[in-house]
Each structure stands twice: as structure tokens, then as C-alpha cells.
Amino acid sequence: MLRGRFREHTERRTSRTTVWRDMASGVRWLRRHPLLKWLTVMFGLVSIAYMIPFSVLVLFAQDRLGLREVGYGFLLAASALGGLLGTAVAERARRRLGRGTTTLAAVALGGLAYLVIATTTNVVLVGAMLALYIFHAVVWSVSVTSLRQELIPDDLRGRVNGAHKTIGLIGLTCGAPIGGLLAAEFGLTAPFWVAGALLLVVALAFVRVLDNAAIERARSAKRAHSR
């Protein structure tokens, strides 16, 4: 319902295209970008780690924490408070720490939250750690999404973001059965141990790739190309 023209300027095209060609062009651009391609790989791994424990969270709350339907609802409601806090501090954290440090620290916080959950049956502590996890997810999303919007050219933004999102959805799809298999084989805490360790490894592995300096180089290159 917003006024204005928001469609791509198709009259600039010299030949007809298809959805598949458009998708392929987004993937090619993303694969060639020195920073965003690694950010997408990181997103896929983080998505796997997210879904590994959340695929069994209901069983964890029921069998390990002793919660019933209402209690589980309150647990999720408490975790949502972390998202509210994340929206309040994400931009301030980015300005103070830098976008790269903020992103990596958020992933590490998510990993620590999972590891604490694996060690306790205290409902209050689990609720606090779930809130911390959602806090990390919101800070990550704000930091990463704004960076993608800045670096991707206007005429490719939908296609590149679509490719990025698809990798995340594949990660979620892979994480769910992994979580179920881990829980069935090693118990309900195993998914939290594995996902927490994975997030910490990801944060360490991408320190050089997604540090503040690398992000500033990518932003400078985009500004120079736009002139």
C-alpha cells in the first residue's frame, strides 16, 4: 500500500530472462563476493546449530525440567524477552564494538547459553539462557542483515538475499534430524552440548574472515565501486 514504484527497472534489460537465470545470477554474485560468501557459510552453520537443540526443546522441557504445557509456554515467553533486549542494544553494540566483533561475540554468547542449559535442570536458569540465546539471534540478525543490505547492489538484492536465505533454510532442515538422532542416542542434553560447541567453533573459525577490518574493507570497496 506504499506509494511509489518498487519494481526493478526491467526496461534496462537487453534480453528476456527467467526465474532460474535470476536465481543463478544471485548465486554467482554471492559466490564471488569475498566477505558475504563466508557470511553465508557462517549463516548455514549457525542455522544448523540453532535447530539441533530446538528440535527437541519440547521433550527437554517435559522430561528434564518437568514442565507441562503452561510451563513450556512461560519458558518460551521468557526467552522472547531476550529478543526485546537484543533490539534495544544491537545498534549501540555495533557502534561501540564494531560490526564484526558484535557479530562474532553474539554467536559465542549463543554457544555459551546452550552449554549452560546442558548442565542444569533449573527452570529459571534455563529460561534466562534461552533469553540469552534469543538475544544473540536478534543481535546477529540486525548486524548481518544491515551489512548485506549495504553491500549488495540494488538490482541484485532480492536474488542474493534469496540465495543467502536458502542456505539458512537448508541448515535448519539438516539441524532438526541431527538433534533428534543425538537425543535418541545420547540423551536430551546431547543436542545442547553439540550445538553449543559448534557455535563456539564457528565464532573462532571466522574471527579473521569477519573481523572489523575485513568488514570495513568490504564497505570501502562498495563505496568506491558506487562512485
Side-chain angles (χ1 to χ4, degrees):
M1 297 175 65
L2 294 173
R3 294 181 179 179
R5 178 181 173 87
F6 304 103
R7 293 183 180 276
E8 181 186 354
H9 296 290
T10 54
E11 60 269 16
R12 295 178 182 175
R13 293 180 173 178
T14 57
S15 61
R16 298 186 66 180
T17 185
T18 66
V19 171
W20 296 107
R21 289 177 182 172
D22 286 346
M23 290 168 59
S25 67
V27 172
R28 283 195 302 271
W29 188 93
L30 182 61
R31 194 172 64 184
R32 289 195 298 262
H33 196 278
L35 178 71
L36 292 185
K37 67 179 178 182
W38 292 115
L39 189 61
T40 300
V41 172
M42 187 179 185
F43 181 51
L45 294 172
V46 169
S47 297
I48 293 173
Y50 165 81
M51 189 51 73
I52 288 175
F54 269 80
S55 64
V56 297
L57 184 60
V58 173
L59 294 176
F60 181 89
Q62 174 183 286
D63 297 347
R64 187 166 168 83
L65 303 181
L67 296 177
R68 297 181 66 83
E69 294 88 344
V70 174
Y72 181 68
F74 276 113
L75 185 68
L76 293 183
S79 70
L81 296 176
L84 295 177
L85 180 61
T87 60
V89 305
E91 182 59 23
R92 274 181 279 182
R94 184 194 64 79
R95 289 198 300 265
R96 178 169 298 223
L97 302 176
R99 201 187 304 265
T101 300
T102 298
T103 301
L104 294 169
V107 173
L109 276 179
L112 291 174
Y114 274 161
L115 294 179
V116 172
I117 292 172
T119 66
T120 185
T121 57
N122 185 299
V123 175
V124 175
L125 182 56
V126 170
M129 289 301 101
L130 284 176
L132 180 61
Y133 184 84
I134 301 302
F135 170 86
H136 123 265
V138 170
V139 172
W140 154 278
S141 180
V142 170
S143 181
V144 168
T145 301
S146 59
L147 179 63
R148 290 203 322 271
Q149 297 297 89
E150 180 181 351
L151 296 181
I152 301 171
D154 292 345
D155 59 335
L156 284 171
R157 188 169 292 120
R159 282 168 271 177
V160 175
N161 279 334
H164 177 90
K165 185 68 173 178
T166 299
I167 296 299
L169 293 174
I170 292 172
L172 295 177
T173 303
C174 294
I178 292 173
L181 291 171
L182 286 171
E185 191 69 26
F186 302 106
L188 288 170
T189 61
F192 291 91
W193 285 114
V194 171
L198 177 57
L199 287 174
L200 292 179
V201 169
V202 167
L204 289 173
F206 284 84
V207 164
R208 294 289 185 88
V209 178
L210 292 174
D211 62 4
N212 291 335
I215 289 176
E216 286 308 310
R217 286 195 297 270
R219 297 179 69 207
S220 298
K222 175 61 164 47
R223 287 193 293 266
H225 185 267
S226 300
R227 289 172 185 168

